[in-house]
């Protein structure tokens, strides 16, 4: 501490002529005699050069100053370099203050005397400040390197498989009974019309029975229930609903399904087919094991039916009719959210007929219709079983609309062109009318499908830029009338392409994890351009359409990007270093007013309701100092930027 | 006092590390001179600027205080600049009660690329304060 003769060394870098031409080192030396503790002044020619650093370190080792001021270039250029030199010289790097006499004085001051005068002032400020600086050390915290991935769609599967490949243990939580997300149920994908399940098959295979799949704990019908702790040391509680069919014992033969006497309508098939109480969600679903719907099963309505259990060729243990809900607890270091997205509910728009008119479908329903495992086996037919002579495809439903979704989802046009292609391929004579606000075809591959749709003989495009949605009404003969921008067409089938919105439950998960959402409800990035994979909370990463509407290609890339963060941040056998220039609450002075936690952008401050005091988590704190300035009791110290240090700098500058 | 005997104000400027301090460095890189009346204190975030610092600067003889932050929405710490703005607005009201007019305590936004804007703000503020007297002790 200052007071009883602190030895301060001022190192003045000439920076060749850059500084020396404008600022006199001799005048600085002369002035320093009036500074507290009479620092010594040493000049170096280029302190950042190799020989300059050697000279600096040598001098530090010889002089053994208690505090160091380096008057040179911007700390943005060489603060790190200088701190390393201090460490090499055996001095704590936080005992140095850098003064920017090049960028902020020598280069911008015309008059040599005034430049020298300003430099003396700045160095005096630094001397006042550095006397109060304290040695700080990085703290080390042991971490768990396991990762929790939420959502087994394309992004989540890619993340889980890649983490397992890198040797990490993964807990993969999926709330549906199957993996693959939305596209696993599609037939063809834009832009290249590849078969979706075929593309996803290798990834799903890797996940379920690949070389590294043992490192992945897949929990289907499971949802995150509670998370405590912080980056490197989270504890996740996961609620798992009973599947009643063991994933390990079941061979997917479907004997139980055949034997089951209870049925329900299949919602994925637009209620156009039946499903059993114990059944697959769709043909070819993975894991290849059915699940039991308690709300349909007779046993759960009071009967003592055990038809499925009796039919199972794998023995008594595969189907467990008494399985209950379970709460699992896992220690993890990082969390990747890959919960995907859903569709804007078009029934919110009056006049579009969604939910009212049987031949008005939304895009997901139409995808299911196109699927060979769908309700029509891939046939495009109206509710009365006819091949449609005319189809209207309505883009931008809810999109580009300040009252609903004030953004373009970016993928709807492309799947709309895909629908055009699918209809044309089967029924070239079917008339297709696209109603759209805007048309987008981004990237290097989207143009071909758009051009095919636009040049097709029986296709037309109507731009609706008045801001009104087309109005769909029944027409006398059982057909539909579509009126958009005063153009009236008759259609047998209408396909709505609604905006992509956050998946159902995105709000609950955000509240549970304490992360932010943007105004559209998607998870908010730490920084939209530079840090889009990171959520607003350290150690929680975002991948795929939970962050922003996107296609499968981008979702898979985002899965990998999130993995990159998890791998780089948490490594086995390596502790994470906690920056010491962070905030700390002196509990004896804390009045428990919560003001600090209300201004902390990183949720780094928690409140101990027993002690009635706040405390800062050093792992989460990034050292901005907003809480320090906010604390009315002055109970928070912003290490390396303390009130005393900054006030001393002000005093030094104004002496 | 300057060479011509006119009043030379002393200004304390708090610059956030990520945008404004970088903007000041950018101005340095341009090597175009501006008045040397401003003394820069680097803070990690403009949200760190405690109103107490500003009062202390005035009490110790500063003729002006400048707070430069990232543009709204660009804060490295998400919203520290908004906190700085809130505090600055409130403090300005208090300062006026003491006869310290708003021109003496200015807040503005300078991004890492805005070297020219940094020069302009400094030049303007120095010119405005040169026309005023020093604050009474």
């Amino acid at each position: 501490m200052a007071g009883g003769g602190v030895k301060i060394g001022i190192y003045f870098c000439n920076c060749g002529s850059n500084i020396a031409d404008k600022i006199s080192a001799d005048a600085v030396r002369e002035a320093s005699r009036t500074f507290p503790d009479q620092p010594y002044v040493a000049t170096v020619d280029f302190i950042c050069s190799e020989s300059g650093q050697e000279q600096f370190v040598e001098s530090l080792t010889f002089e053994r100053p208690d505090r160091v001021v380096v008057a040179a270039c911007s700390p943005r250029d060489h603060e790190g370099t200088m701190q390393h030199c201090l460490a090499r010289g055996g001095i704590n790097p936080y005992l140095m203050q850098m003064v920017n006499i090049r960028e902020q004085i020598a280069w911008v001051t015309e008059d040599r005397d005034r430049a020298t005068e300003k430099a003396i002032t700045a160095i005096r400020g630094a001397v006042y400040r550095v006397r109060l600086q304290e040695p700080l050390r990085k703290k080390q915290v042991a971490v768990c390197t396991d990762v929790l991935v939420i959502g087994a769609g394309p992004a989540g599967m890619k993340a889980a498989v890649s983490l397992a490949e890198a040797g990490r243990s993964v807990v993969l939580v999926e709330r549906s009974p199957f993996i693959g997300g939305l596209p696993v149920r599609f037939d063809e994908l834009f832009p290249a019309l590849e078969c979706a399940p075929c593309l996803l098959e290798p990834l799903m295979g890797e996940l379920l029975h690949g070389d590294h799949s043992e490192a992945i704990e897949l929990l289907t019908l499971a949802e995150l229930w509670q998370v405590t702790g912080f980056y490197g040391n989270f504890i996740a509680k996961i609620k798992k609903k009973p599947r009643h069919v063991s994933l390990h014992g079941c061979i997917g033969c479907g004997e139980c399904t055949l034997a089951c006497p209870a049925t329900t309508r299949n919602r994925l098939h637009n209620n156009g087919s039946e499903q059993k109480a114990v059944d697959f969600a769709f043909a070819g679903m993975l894991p290849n094991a059915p699940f039991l719907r308690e709300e349909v099963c007779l046993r759960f309505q009071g009967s003592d039916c055990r038809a499925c259990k009796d039919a199972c060729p794998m023995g008594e243990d595969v189907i467990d009719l008494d399985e209950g809900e379970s709460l699992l607890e896992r220690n993890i270091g990082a969390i990747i959210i890959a919960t995907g997205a859903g569709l804007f509910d078009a029934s919110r728009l009056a006049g579009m007929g969604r939910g009212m008119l049987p031949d008005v479908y939304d895009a997901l329903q139409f995808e299911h219709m196109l699927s060979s495992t769908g309700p029509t086996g891939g046939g495009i037919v109206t509710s009365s079983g006819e091949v449609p002579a005319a189809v209207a495809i309505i883009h931008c439903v809810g999109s580009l609309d300040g009252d609903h979704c004030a953004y373009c989802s970016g993928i709807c046009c492309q799947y709309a062109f895909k629908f055009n292609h699918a209809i044309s391929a089967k029924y070239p004579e079917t008339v297709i009318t696209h109603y759209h606000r805007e048309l987008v075809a981004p990237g290097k591959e989207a143009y071909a499908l758009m051009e095919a749709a636009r040049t097709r003989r029986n296709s037309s495009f109507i731009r609706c830029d008045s801001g009104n949605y087309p109005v769909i009404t029944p027409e006398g003969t059982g057909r539909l009338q579509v009126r958009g921008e005063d153009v009236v067409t008759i259609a047998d089938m209408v396909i709505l392409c609604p905006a992509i919105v956050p998946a159902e439950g995105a709000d609950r998960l955000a509240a549970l994890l304490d992360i932010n959402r943007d105004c559209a409800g998607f998870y908010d990035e730490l920084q939209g351009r530079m840090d889009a994979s990171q959520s607003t909370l350290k150690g929680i990463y975002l991948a795929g359409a939970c962050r922003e509407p996107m296609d499968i290609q981008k979702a898979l890339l985002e899965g990998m990007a999130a993995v990159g963060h998890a791998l780089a941040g948490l490594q086995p056998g390596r502790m994470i270093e906690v920056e010491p220039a962070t905030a700390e609450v002196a509990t004896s002075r804390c009045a428990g007013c919560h003001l600090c936690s209300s201004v902390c952008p990183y949720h780094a401050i928690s409140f101990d309701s027993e002690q009635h005091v706040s405390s800062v988590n050093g792992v989460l704190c990034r050292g901005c100092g907003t809480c320090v300035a906010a604390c009315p009791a002055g109970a928070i110290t912003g290490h390396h930027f303390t009130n005393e240090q900054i006030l001393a700098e002000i005093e030094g500058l104004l002496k | 006092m300057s060479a011509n005997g006119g009043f030379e104000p002393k200004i304390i400027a708090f610059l956030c590390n990520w945008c404004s301090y970088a903007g000041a460095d950018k101005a340095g890189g341009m090597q175009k001179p501006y008045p040397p009346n401003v003394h820069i204190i680097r803070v990690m975030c403009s949200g760190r600027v405690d109103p107490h610092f500003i009062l202390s600067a005035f009490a110790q003889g500063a003729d002006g205080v400048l707070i430069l932050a990232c543009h709204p929405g660009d804060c490295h710490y998400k919203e520290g600049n908004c906190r700085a703005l809130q505090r600055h607005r409130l403090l300005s009201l208090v300062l006026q009660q003491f006869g310290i007019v708003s021109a003496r305590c200015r807040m503005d936004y300078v991004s890492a690329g805005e070297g020219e804007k940094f020069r302009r703000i400094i030049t303007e503020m120095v010119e405005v304060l040169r026309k005023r007297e020093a604050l009474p002790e």
Side-chain angles (χ1 to χ4, degrees):
Chain A
M1 249 321 287
V6 177
K7 183 171 182 181
I8 302 173
I10 297 173
Y11 288 83
F12 183 99
C13 174
N14 288 322
C15 195
S17 60
N18 279 292
I19 291 172
D21 268 4
K22 279 287 168 68
I23 300 168
S24 155
D26 290 338
V28 170
R29 186 173 287 111
E30 184 60 34
S32 71
R33 300 208 176 105
T34 66
F35 294 173
D37 295 319
Q38 284 89 43
Y40 67 86
V41 178
T43 53
V44 185
D45 233 353
F46 289 98
I47 198 167
C48 64
S49 70
E50 242 173 69
S51 60
Q53 289 186 47
E54 285 310 316
Q55 198 186 328
F56 181 33
V57 175
E58 231 166 75
S59 167
L60 292 174
T61 322
F62 177 74
E63 295 279 358
R64 307 229 46 84
D66 301 306
R67 300 287 187 279
V68 178
V69 170
V70 177
C73 58
S74 172
R76 291 175 57 253
D77 287 337
H78 282 299
E79 189 174 43
T81 317
M82 298 302 116
Q83 285 186 328
H84 284 302
C85 290
L86 258 80
R88 280 167 59 201
I91 302 171
N92 185 287
Y94 291 90
L95 297 177
M96 178 208 62
Q97 181 68 10
M98 236 180 135
V99 193
N100 186 345
I101 59 170
R102 192 179 71 167
E103 278 86 345
Q104 294 178 2
I105 300 179
W107 279 352
V108 291
T109 309
E110 213 154 29
D111 180 71
R112 190 167 196 265
D113 289 343
R114 298 205 63 191
T116 302
E117 191 190 325
K118 186 178 175 185
I120 290 169
T121 303
I123 295 168
R124 190 173 53 228
V127 167
Y128 273 68
R129 187 192 202 282
V130 83
R131 293 166 77 228
L132 301 183
Q133 282 177 211
E134 288 165 43
L136 299 173
R137 276 173 190 84
K138 287 183 178 172
K139 274 183 235 151
Q140 307 250 318
V141 177
V143 292
C144 170
T145 59
D146 296 359
V147 180
L148 171 71
V149 179
I150 310 171
M157 291 195 299
K158 187 74 179 173
V161 166
S162 307
L163 284 164
E165 242 182 309
R168 298 304 168 83
S169 295
V170 181
V171 182
L172 176 58
V173 171
E174 167 58 48
R175 72 174 167 193
S176 82
F178 55 88
I179 61 170
L182 288 178
V184 77
R185 289 170 272 168
F186 298 172
D187 202 47
E188 289 177 331
L189 298 179
F190 71 77
L193 305 174
E194 296 125 315
C195 152
C198 317
L199 281 187
L200 290 168
E201 186 67 35
L203 182 58
M204 296 195 289
E206 277 296 319
L207 179 73
L208 295 172
H209 42 72
D211 289 345
H212 308 284
S213 61
E214 276 186 3
I216 303 170
E217 181 186 21
L218 171 65
L219 301 170
T220 56
L221 289 163
E223 283 189 81
L224 194 60
W225 187 246
Q226 189 192 54
V227 172
T228 52
F230 51 89
Y231 177 50
N233 292 287
F234 291 109
I235 298 167
K237 286 196 173 134
I238 298 151
K239 196 172 246 185
K240 195 172 175 309
K241 287 189 205 148
R243 190 182 184 105
H244 295 287
V245 178
S246 158
L247 287 183
H248 303 292
C250 177
I251 56 166
C253 66
E255 291 291 342
C256 53
T257 302
L258 281 175
C260 176
T263 59
T264 181
R265 307 303 295 176
N266 186 342
R267 269 185 295 163
L268 278 186
H269 285 182
N270 310 332
N271 294 329
S273 66
E274 281 193 339
Q275 264 185 320
K276 296 293 186 66
V278 60
D279 207 341
F280 296 90
F282 52 90
M285 112 182 184
L286 290 174
N288 183 16
F291 63 102
L292 186 139
R293 289 181 179 84
E294 291 183 357
E295 69 279 13
V296 183
C297 177
L298 298 178
R299 202 178 168 85
F300 290 84
Q301 327 303 323
S303 123
D304 57 359
C305 175
R306 45 169 288 148
C308 52
K309 212 166 160 67
D310 292 337
C312 180
M314 299 305 289
E316 268 291 298
D317 298 337
V318 176
I319 297 180
D320 178 3
L321 293 169
D322 300 324
E323 185 187 353
E325 204 170 66
S326 51
L327 199 59
L328 310 171
E329 193 179 292
R330 297 289 180 269
N331 294 332
I332 52 193
I335 300 173
I336 295 175
I337 306 179
T339 47
L343 289 186
F344 171 75
D345 178 8
S347 66
R348 287 172 60 194
L349 299 173
M352 303 221 82
R354 172 84 180 101
M356 311 284 282
L357 302 169
D359 283 309
V360 176
Y361 300 91
D362 73 23
L364 275 177
Q365 289 179 309
F366 191 68
E367 290 280 5
H368 290 146
M369 187 187 283
L370 288 177
S371 164
S372 55
T373 62
T376 58
I380 302 168
V381 289
T382 65
S383 56
S384 53
E386 310 277 330
V387 170
V391 176
I393 300 179
I394 303 181
H395 300 227
C396 314
V397 175
S399 302
L400 305 170
D401 181 344
D403 292 331
H404 295 288
C405 302
Y407 52 89
C408 168
S409 297
I411 64 172
C412 330
C413 282
Q414 297 182 70
Y415 71 64
F417 302 142
K418 177 184 80 173
F419 291 164
N420 180 302
H421 168 87
I423 298 165
S424 308
K426 281 204 167 100
Y427 309 114
E429 295 309 314
T430 293
V431 173
I432 304 172
T433 312
H434 290 259
Y435 291 84
H436 61 93
R437 290 188 172 197
E438 302 288 348
L439 281 183
V440 297
K444 62 181 183 181
E445 291 177 290
Y447 177 71
L449 267 182
M450 176 170 87
E451 196 54 13
R454 294 219 297 196
T455 53
R456 177 178 179 262
R457 185 167 47 87
N458 288 323
S459 292
S460 58
F461 284 76
I462 296 171
R463 183 174 165 139
C464 308
D465 51 8
S466 68
N468 297 319
Y469 290 98
V471 175
I472 299 147
T473 45
E475 202 253 356
T477 53
R479 305 181 78 189
L480 298 165
Q481 188 196 74
V482 184
R483 178 190 289 271
E485 309 292 294
D486 291 331
V487 181
V488 176
T489 56
I490 301 297
D492 302 294
M493 180 184 277
V494 172
I495 306 164
L496 306 178
C497 304
I500 310 293
V501 295
E504 191 266 315
D507 50 346
R508 292 196 303 274
L509 187 61
L512 192 150
L513 291 169
D514 208 4
I515 59 172
N516 296 354
R517 295 196 301 151
D518 61 24
C519 51
F522 293 102
Y523 296 124
D524 213 355
E525 304 95 345
L526 183 59
Q527 212 293 326
R529 252 50 53 198
M530 301 301 291
D531 262 317
S533 290
Q534 300 205 58
S535 78
T536 46
L537 200 63
K538 201 166 179 182
I540 300 184
Y541 309 112
L542 308 172
C546 66
R547 181 183 76 74
E548 174 177 58
M550 68 182 65
D551 64 12
I552 291 154
Q553 176 200 50
K554 205 171 166 202
L556 290 166
L557 290 173
E558 292 218 339
M560 285 305 289
V563 167
H565 278 290
L567 291 183
L570 303 174
Q571 291 185 19
R574 195 183 78 180
M575 305 227 217
I576 48 174
E577 287 194 326
V578 182
E579 275 302 320
T582 48
E584 188 179 347
V585 180
T587 46
S588 59
R589 299 183 68 177
C590 175
C593 73
H594 294 261
L595 198 58
C596 50
S597 51
S598 75
V599 299
C600 176
Y602 302 107
H603 307 285
I605 305 180
S606 57
F607 188 71
D608 180 338
S609 45
E610 270 178 26
Q611 306 278 323
H612 211 66
V613 290
S614 292
S615 65
V616 179
N617 182 321
V619 177
L620 300 180
C621 175
R622 299 189 193 214
C624 66
T626 299
C627 61
V628 186
C631 179
I636 309 181
T637 303
H639 288 298
H640 205 48
F641 287 89
T642 65
N643 287 345
E644 295 72 23
Q645 289 162 5
I646 294 172
L647 288 168
E649 187 172 356
I650 295 169
E651 190 192 342
L653 291 174
L654 292 169
K655 263 280 181 279
Chain B
M1 296 286 147
S2 70
N4 59 16
F7 167 62
E8 286 296 340
K10 257 195 164 187
I11 299 169
I12 296 291
F14 295 95
L15 269 58
C16 79
N17 182 56
W18 304 98
C19 288
S20 308
Y21 196 90
D25 280 356
K26 179 94 173 178
M30 288 156 37
Q31 305 207 6
K32 284 203 265 178
Y34 56 80
N37 307 51
V38 173
H39 304 289
I40 292 171
I41 293 179
R42 181 170 70 120
V43 285
M44 294 312 281
C45 178
S46 57
R48 174 67 185 95
V49 180
D50 191 322
H52 181 40
F53 300 163
I54 298 167
L55 295 173
S56 165
F58 281 121
Q60 294 182 71
D63 301 296
V65 172
L66 179 61
I67 303 158
L68 295 181
C70 306
H71 284 269
D74 287 356
C75 178
H76 184 82
Y77 303 103
K78 293 197 275 196
E79 53 199 26
N81 53 357
C82 303
R83 305 288 172 206
L85 179 66
Q86 290 170 330
R87 290 175 191 142
H88 175 255
R89 285 217 174 134
L90 283 173
L91 186 68
S92 295
L93 296 175
V94 176
L95 288 174
Q96 282 175 45
Q97 304 286 312
F98 291 102
I100 299 175
V101 295
S102 57
R104 291 195 187 269
C105 182
R106 180 172 169 181
M107 173 159 177
D108 214 320
Y109 307 104
V110 170
S111 76
E114 290 176 332
E116 192 54 55
K117 184 177 178 186
F118 176 79
R119 277 190 74 224
R120 180 167 57 74
I121 290 171
I122 301 295
T123 311
E124 266 174 26
M125 187 157 178
V126 172
E127 270 169 21
V128 166
L129 294 190
R130 266 177 189 156
K131 288 181 192 140
R132 294 184 167 266
E133 291 298 304
L135 280 169
E137 291 290 318

